[in-house]
């Protein structure tokens, strides 16, 4: 296996916002003939007012609304968006792509095909604002409607599109109920928040606490892989200049706390059947996180209330994987991460996506790991993760 940096990642002339990009499928990137490219992390905006439409008549006044404004699909109530301003501004960059929103799954499949992408796993965009919808009973109803809608798109796509579902994480009975529903709909995974919010008594939920073990029991029993995604971590202080990119710099480095809880809080020791995917944070963070965890284990284990059952790298190798779009440093460190533990993704249609130069990103993967291992990264690892 070679481990070389690539000059193929960015076109020398640069690139514009996704609406100005065009795919270049048909370029030989070095993958074996017949390889299906599966983007492990794309996004979809909801274009229909599905929550209002599908809430019962007596609850419609409480339903979150979806509407189109200034080039983006918003989520909110009575014209007031639940999204922070920077988030809305970013959405306005790409929601006018023909396939970016749910109203045209056929155009979406076509645009991705033109970019050399055959299948995709799609995460929400603005709907993330509903993670902390205050009424938890209505929040679960919102999640159910979203899951049903994703399943409908998945069915219409003929195997090209897989939607990421949403579940109840705040009480075990609800976790079981929503996971059963999600599985019955044919969805293959679900998004768990990095910031789970507060319980009914106003206490911040700690995923690593013993009180959350019944929730993890239900997730483990369901057998579906967990996904975590960047996008929930705003900067801690205001930023007057270029706040969008400052916010993104914070967001792309948001996994460490939950990564540490899986290992050091004993979640994985008590629930050895869990599988976890980390999405859109790249892969270069993994070696440093493992290195720091090993050093801190050696330094502080005499203070632990829970002693680990395994060495640090066992938890990564056994339970975890991560996705990337453009990560030359991560590819140079692939021997530390594991070629079986990473997924390539386009991140269509985001600004930071490879849409419009995916052939350069894919060629860089082949150059770094060779054609056979590249097939794992662009297809086999994610299909095994999802069980499709």
């Amino acid at each position: 296996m070679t481990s070389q940096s690539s000059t193929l990642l960015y076109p020398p002339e640069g690139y514009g916002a996704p609406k100005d990009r065009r795919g270049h499928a048909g370029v030989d990137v070095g993958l074996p003939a017949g390889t299906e490219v599966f983007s492990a992390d794309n996004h979809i905006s909801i274009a229909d007012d599905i929550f209002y439409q599908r809430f019962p008549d007596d609850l419609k006044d409480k339903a979150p609304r979806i509407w189109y404004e200034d080039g983006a699909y918003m989520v909110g109530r009575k014209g007031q968006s639940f999204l922070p301003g920077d988030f809305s501004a970013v959405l306005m960059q790409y929601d006018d792509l023909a396939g970016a929103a749910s109203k045209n799954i056929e155009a979406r499949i076509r645009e991705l095909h033109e970019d050399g992408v055959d299948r995709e796993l799609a995460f929400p965009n603005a709907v993330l604002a509903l993670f902390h919808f205050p009424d938890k009973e209505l929040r679960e109803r919102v999640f159910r409607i979203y899951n049903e809608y994703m399943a409908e798109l998945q069915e219409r796509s003929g195997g090209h599109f897989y939607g990421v579902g949403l579940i109840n994480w705040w009480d075990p009975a609800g976790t079981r109920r929503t996971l059963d529903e999600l599985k019955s709909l044919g969805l293959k995974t679900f998004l768990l928040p990095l910031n789970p919010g507060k319980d009914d008594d106003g206490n911040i939920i700690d995923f690593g606490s013993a009180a959350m073990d019944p929730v993890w029991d239900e997730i483990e029993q369901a057998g579906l892989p967990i996904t975590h995604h960047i996008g929930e971590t705003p900067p801690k202080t205001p930023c007057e200049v270029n706040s969008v990119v400052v916010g993104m710099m914070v967001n792309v480095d948001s996994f460490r706390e939950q990564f540490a809880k899986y290992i050091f809080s004993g979640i994985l020791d008590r629930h050895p059947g869990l599988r976890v995917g980390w999405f859109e944070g790249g892969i270069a963070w993994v070696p440093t996180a493992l290195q720091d965890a090993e050093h801190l284990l050696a330094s502080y284990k005499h203070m632990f209330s829970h002693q680990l059952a395994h060495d640090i790298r066992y938890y990564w190798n056994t339970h975890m994987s991560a996705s990337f779009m453009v990560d030359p440093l991560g590819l140079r460190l692939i021997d530390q991460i594991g070629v079986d533990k990473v997924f390539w993704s386009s991140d269509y249609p985001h600004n930071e996506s490879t849409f419009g130069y995916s052939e350069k990103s894919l060629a860089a993967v082949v150059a770094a790991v060779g054609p056979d291992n590249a097939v794992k990264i662009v297809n086999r690892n994610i299909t095994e993760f999802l069980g499709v």
Side-chain angles (χ1 to χ4, degrees):
M1 182 194 310
T2 60
S3 184
Q4 53 188 279
S5 62
S6 174
T7 59
L8 298 173
L9 294 177
Y10 299 103
E13 69 275 9
Y15 55 89
K19 61 189 174 187
D20 299 322
R21 304 185 203 174
R22 296 292 181 271
H24 302 96
V27 175
D28 182 6
V29 300
L31 289 168
T35 301
E36 280 195 325
V37 174
F38 195 134
S39 174
D41 171 33
N42 286 356
H43 291 266
I44 190 162
S45 291
I46 303 301
D48 299 312
D49 199 9
I50 57 171
F51 306 116
Y52 182 79
Q53 293 166 359
R54 301 186 185 197
F55 263 46
D57 289 342
D58 61 330
L59 293 176
K60 283 189 183 294
D61 63 323
K62 297 181 179 180
R65 302 300 300 267
I66 294 175
W67 70 95
Y68 190 75
E69 179 181 319
D70 294 332
Y73 290 95
M74 301 293 174
V75 174
R77 185 179 284 162
K78 296 180 179 177
Q80 291 294 114
S81 176
F82 293 159
L83 301 168
D86 281 348
F87 200 122
S88 296
V90 169
L91 293 179
M92 292 170 190
Q93 295 292 304
Y94 52 78
D95 264 357
D96 58 351
L97 274 170
S102 59
K103 61 184 175 182
N104 197 338
I105 193 71
E106 293 77 19
R108 183 182 184 90
I109 294 168
R110 183 177 65 253
E111 281 187 330
L112 287 168
H113 180 72
E114 291 169 354
D115 198 45
V117 176
D118 301 293
R119 295 200 283 172
E120 63 171 326
L121 180 65
F123 288 82
N125 276 326
V127 172
L128 285 176
L130 302 177
F131 259 168
H132 301 297
F133 198 66
D135 185 316
K136 290 179 179 174
E137 184 176 345
L138 291 182
R139 187 194 303 171
E140 186 173 317
R141 182 182 292 274
V142 164
F143 288 2
R144 181 178 299 112
I145 291 170
Y146 182 79
N147 292 341
E148 290 169 351
Y149 192 69
M150 287 297 103
E152 291 165 13
L153 295 178
Q154 189 168 295
E155 179 68 21
R156 282 173 51 196
S157 79
H160 292 279
F161 173 95
Y162 295 88
V164 176
L166 305 173
I167 70 163
N168 176 328
W169 65 82
W170 51 92
D171 81 81
T175 304
R176 182 187 318 117
R177 181 170 56 248
T178 51
L179 280 168
D180 286 346
E181 291 169 354
L182 189 144
K183 291 174 70 173
S184 72
L185 290 167
L187 301 184
K188 305 301 182 182
T189 188
F190 60 93
L191 179 61
L192 206 59
L194 296 168
N195 303 307
K198 297 180 179 180
D199 62 22
D200 291 336
D201 297 322
N203 302 310
I204 295 174
I205 295 173
D206 172 12
F207 274 143
S209 68
M212 290 300 290
D213 273 349
V215 169
W216 293 116
D217 289 341
E218 297 296 342
I219 293 173
E220 183 178 33
Q221 185 174 342
L224 295 180
I226 302 158
T227 69
H228 293 290
H229 196 283
I230 68 165
E232 300 174 48
T233 311
K236 292 182 173 63
T237 58
C239 179
E240 184 176 327
V241 179
N242 289 338
S243 58
V244 168
V245 73
V246 172
M248 286 301 300
M249 285 290 290
V250 173
N251 268 308
V252 297
D253 187 29
S254 56
F255 290 149
R256 272 205 170 202
E257 181 176 354
Q258 186 57 35
F259 171 82
K261 285 189 175 184
Y262 275 118
I263 296 173
F264 291 114
S265 294
I267 296 171
L268 295 176
D269 284 339
R270 296 189 296 275
H271 305 92
L274 296 180
R275 292 177 296 138
V276 182
W278 307 96
F279 288 83
E280 208 178 319
I283 57 175
W285 67 274
V286 175
T288 59
L290 294 172
Q291 174 180 269
D292 290 347
E294 288 172 334
H295 178 65
L296 294 171
L297 171 62
S299 302
Y300 289 97
K301 63 183 178 181
H302 64 287
M303 299 175 63
F304 284 8
S305 57
H306 168 79
Q307 294 297 328
L308 302 191
H310 305 281
D311 63 76
I312 294 296
R313 287 175 191 265
Y314 172 90
Y315 296 103
W316 171 259
N317 292 333
T318 305
H319 298 279
M320 300 185 188
S321 304
S323 80
F324 71 99
M325 297 95 75
V326 174
D327 199 334
L329 178 58
L331 289 172
R332 288 201 294 272
L333 296 172
I334 196 66
D335 291 336
Q336 295 294 314
I337 303 165
V339 75
D340 297 316
K341 308 302 296 177
V342 299
F343 316 128
W344 179 85
S345 67
S346 159
D347 194 38
Y348 167 94
H350 284 182
N351 272 34
E352 65 273 20
S353 77
T354 67
F355 180 64
Y357 65 98
S358 290
E359 77 283 357
K360 298 179 185 295
S361 178
L362 291 166
V365 174
V366 176
V369 303
D372 292 339
N373 280 325
V375 173
K376 297 180 180 180
I377 292 173
V378 307
N379 179 286
R380 195 174 306 151
N381 293 343
I382 186 63
T383 57
E384 290 179 357
F385 181 79
L386 297 174
V388 300

